[in-house]
């Protein structure tokens, strides 16, 4: 008979738990049969002792089966999904999904809402008038088969074990455990029905992972889990020291996604979408290799097929397709305030996390789970690292409907943008990749 106190002791001593023991623990956590204090003790033991590859795989699948799983067998072909570990101004999904669907991939995506300074894809899409993110499974499958893609909000009972364990990790200082992060992410992707997964692992001041070593550990662990449980997985490690593109905020990011699909967006955002998308196209079996995948995506972008696919996706989910060519139909803020440069020089760096916090207080994010989002609020970068600014040039635009927060936002912006005489070295956005070939 398995006993939780024995599992705590076993893990504290550095031993691996068996499949039976892991399933006992996850089942007990889900049903509330194991007290929080004992689960917390086990999580702390994992934090210090880690987990083996087989433990991580078993825990991932035990969490997958702790609640609902999404049956996507009715969708033709390989279902490929993308996940970002979170960042500031991360508009990739809005560009990537129609771009990849335009070349024949199937993307049945379940996304979340934002909390704190990281934006949620569902909040962004809901800034499009009429766009519905709630959809029954039958309609979800039918839409993906017809359009090639659909993006909906996560179901309420998907991986309940993760909700339980994450809540405990959040209050016991065990959030930043690589095995626990990896099993949390991968269990949700697998429960949502993905056959293949491309991961965008963020690293830097605006990301959860602050250094490259941690980011590559997480990337490698998730690729290992994918291999162990039969899901082809690739991870791309990318910098989040500055916001991706220029927009932070829901309708503002939709505008930037449209600009990118029109062929006029920021190069870093487009390049990342092409990099991630190339892997998605390859894993989906649409291309023979990532190079061919990139070529297909570039063709879809230049020809306008990717933009047409976004229009089709918006229309299929009840949104107003006119926003594709008339972004002025998207929500806007009453106050638009330019923040001028206090001195002339090159923009040295921009604190991505601080800008995300500013966007949140302007109304673009949630300070708590019950906070209301203002779809028109956010921040636009008028200058980015490496750009030259004269004194008085606009560095940033603040978009808000909240008079009371403008002064605080101005003060915080002043601390988040650094100007200097020398042109800074701009490091490449992509730090590296981890594929199944890279792990032993």
């Amino acid at each position: 008979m398995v006993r939780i106190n024995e599992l705590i002791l076993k893990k504290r001593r550095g031993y691996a738990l068996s499949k039976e023991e892991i399933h006992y623990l996850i089942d007990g956590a889900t049903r509330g049969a194991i007290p929080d204090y004992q689960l917390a003790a086990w999580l702390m033991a994992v934090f210090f002792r880690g987990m083996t590859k087989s433990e991580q795989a078993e825990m991932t699948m035990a969490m997958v089966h702790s609640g609902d799983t999404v049956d996507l067998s009715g969708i033709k072909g390989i279902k490929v999904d993308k996940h970002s570990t979170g960042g500031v101004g991360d508009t990739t999904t809005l560009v990537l999904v129609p771009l990849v669907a335009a070349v024949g991939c199937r993307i049945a995506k379940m996304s979340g809402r934002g909390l704190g300074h990281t934006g949620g894809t569902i909040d962004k899409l809901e800034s499009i008038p009429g766009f519905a993110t709630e959809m029954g499974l039958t309609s979800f499958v039918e839409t993906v088969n017809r359009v090639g893609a659909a993006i909906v909000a996560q179901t309420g009972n998907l991986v309940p074990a993760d909700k339980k364990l994450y809540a405990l990790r959040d209050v016991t200082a065990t959030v930043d455990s690589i095995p626990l992060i990896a099993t949390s992410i991968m269990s949700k992707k697998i429960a949502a029905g993905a056959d293949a997964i491309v991961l965008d692992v963020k690293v830097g001041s605006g990301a959860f992972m602050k250094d490259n070593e941690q980011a590559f550990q997480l990337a490698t662990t998730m690729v290992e889990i994918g291999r162990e449980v039969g899901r082809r997985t690739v991870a791309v490690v990318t910098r989040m020291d500055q916001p991706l593109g220029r927009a932070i905020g829901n309708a503002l990011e939709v505008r930037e996604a449209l600009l990118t699909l029109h062929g006029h967006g920021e190069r870093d955002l487009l390049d990342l979408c092409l990099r991630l998308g190339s892997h998605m196209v390859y894993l989906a079996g649409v291309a023979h290799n990532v190079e061919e995948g990139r070529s297909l995506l570039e063709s879809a972008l230049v020809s306008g097929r990717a933009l047409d696919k976004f229009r089709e996706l918006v229309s299929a989910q009840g949104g107003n397709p006119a926003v594709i060519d008339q972004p002025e139909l998207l929500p806007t803020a009453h106050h638009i305030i330019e923040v001028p440069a206090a001195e002339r020089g090159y923009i040295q760096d921009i604190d991505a996390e601080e800008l995300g916090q500013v966007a949140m207080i302007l109304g673009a994010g949630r300070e708590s789970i019950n906070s209301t989002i203002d779809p028109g609020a956010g921040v636009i970068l008028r200058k980015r690292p490496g750009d030259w600014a004269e004194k008085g040039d606009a560095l940033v635009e603040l978009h808000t409907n909240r008079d009371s927060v403008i002064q605080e936002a101005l003060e915080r912006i002043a601390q988040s943008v650094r100007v200097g005489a020398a042109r800074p070295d701009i490091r490449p956005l992509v730090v590296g990749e981890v594929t199944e070939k890279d792990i032993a």
Side-chain angles (χ1 to χ4, degrees):
M1 180 179 178
V2 180
R3 292 182 172 85
I4 183 60
N5 61 313
E6 293 174 351
L7 301 190
I8 296 169
L9 181 61
K10 188 174 181 180
K11 179 49 64 179
R12 196 189 78 187
R13 290 175 173 171
Y15 296 113
L17 271 59
S18 68
K19 177 179 179 178
E20 178 191 12
E21 290 168 336
I22 289 173
H23 282 261
Y24 165 84
L25 188 142
I26 297 301
D27 179 64
T30 306
R31 293 187 296 106
I34 299 174
D36 286 357
Y37 62 85
Q38 288 184 309
L39 288 172
W42 183 79
L43 290 169
M44 188 61 76
V46 171
F47 181 87
F48 284 110
R49 289 296 194 171
M51 301 180 81
T52 65
K53 294 178 185 179
S54 61
E55 279 184 294
Q56 290 165 172
E58 290 296 346
M59 182 167 170
T60 298
M61 295 311 294
M63 290 168 69
V64 167
H65 295 296
S66 68
D68 295 340
T69 56
V70 182
D71 180 7
L72 299 181
S73 59
I75 297 175
K76 305 165 189 173
I78 297 171
K79 281 70 72 179
V80 61
D81 201 355
K82 166 261 179 187
H83 177 81
S84 168
T85 58
V88 177
D90 187 3
T91 314
T92 52
T93 296
L94 301 178
V95 177
L96 192 57
V97 169
L99 179 60
V100 172
V103 302
C105 292
R106 294 284 185 265
I107 306 99
K109 186 156 187 60
M110 291 190 171
S111 293
R113 301 185 183 278
L115 184 59
H117 74 277
T118 56
T121 297
I122 293 301
D123 297 315
K124 297 168 190 178
L125 288 170
E126 286 181 345
S127 71
I128 299 173
F131 195 101
T133 59
E134 304 289 337
M135 190 183 295
L137 181 59
T138 301
S139 296
F140 186 44
V141 169
E142 189 276 331
T143 301
V144 177
N145 276 329
R146 176 168 50 87
V147 177
I151 308 173
V152 297
Q154 293 170 348
T155 63
N157 198 40
L158 204 69
V159 197
D162 179 62
K163 295 181 178 69
K164 174 70 173 180
L165 294 181
Y166 190 87
L168 288 174
R169 288 165 56 204
D170 194 36
V171 296
T172 57
T174 54
V175 169
D176 53 339
S177 161
I178 298 293
L180 297 177
I181 297 169
T183 53
S184 172
I185 291 172
M186 293 298 287
S187 64
K188 286 178 283 194
K189 291 291 104 180
I190 294 166
D195 298 319
I197 304 163
V198 174
L199 301 158
D200 181 7
V201 180
K202 302 293 189 185
V203 61
S205 63
F208 185 69
M209 293 292 159
K210 302 301 183 186
D211 63 71
N212 289 352
E213 182 180 358
Q214 275 190 323
F216 275 101
Q217 285 179 356
L218 177 59
T220 300
T221 300
M222 290 191 289
V223 173
E224 287 174 342
I225 290 173
R227 185 177 67 175
E228 291 288 322
V229 303
R231 302 300 194 281
R232 297 187 68 188
T233 306
V234 170
V236 181
V237 179
T238 63
R239 299 189 199 280
M240 184 45 76
D241 293 313
Q242 66 177 61
L244 192 62
R246 292 185 183 269
I248 308 169
N250 299 288
L252 296 178
E253 290 185 48
V254 173
R255 286 171 179 261
E256 182 162 53
L258 292 172
L259 198 63
T260 304
L261 289 168
H262 274 287
H264 306 300
E266 293 299 311
R267 193 69 220 182
D268 62 341
L269 174 58
L270 177 58
D271 282 347
L272 179 56
C273 291
L274 290 171
R275 185 74 165 258
L276 298 171
S278 298
H279 284 291
M280 294 176 73
V281 174
Y282 170 58
L283 293 183
V286 174
H288 294 96
N289 50 55
V290 293
E291 292 77 19
E292 182 186 353
R294 186 181 181 100
S295 178
L296 290 172
L297 295 176
E298 289 174 339
S299 175
L301 192 70
V302 171
S303 68
R305 285 184 291 128
L307 187 66
D308 289 341
K309 184 58 69 175
F310 195 25
R311 183 181 288 106
E312 187 181 0
L313 173 64
V314 169
S315 182
Q317 294 195 224
N320 182 1
V323 302
I324 304 300
D325 300 303
Q326 298 174 269
E328 62 271 17
L329 296 174
L330 292 164
T332 57
H334 180 67
H335 301 292
I336 301 176
I337 303 103
E338 292 186 348
V339 182
E343 58 183 313
R344 68 197 301 263
Y346 289 101
I347 308 304
Q348 301 296 307
D349 57 55
I350 297 174
D351 188 328
E353 184 170 5
E354 184 66 10
L355 279 190
Q357 295 290 346
V358 169
M360 181 181 71
I361 67 171
L362 292 174
R366 293 182 177 86
E367 295 186 57
S368 71
I369 198 166
N370 296 317
S371 299
T372 301
I373 288 280
D374 178 352
V379 173
I380 296 287
L381 298 181
R382 296 281 291 277
K383 301 287 186 181
R384 305 182 71 210
D387 290 346
W388 175 264
E390 292 290 341
K391 183 178 179 179
D393 282 354
L395 297 178
V396 171
E397 276 181 10
L398 306 181
H399 293 239
T400 189
N401 291 304
R402 299 177 178 179
D403 295 9
S404 61
V405 302
I406 292 173
Q407 187 57 42
E408 180 187 354
L410 289 170
E411 291 170 0
R412 295 181 72 156
I413 288 290
Q415 300 299 316
S416 65
V417 182
R418 190 166 60 89
V419 178
R423 183 190 292 272
D425 292 328
I426 306 299
R427 296 182 295 175
L429 177 65
V430 176
V431 183
E433 297 179 350
V434 179
T435 70
E436 291 180 355
K437 295 178 181 178
D438 298 319
I439 58 178

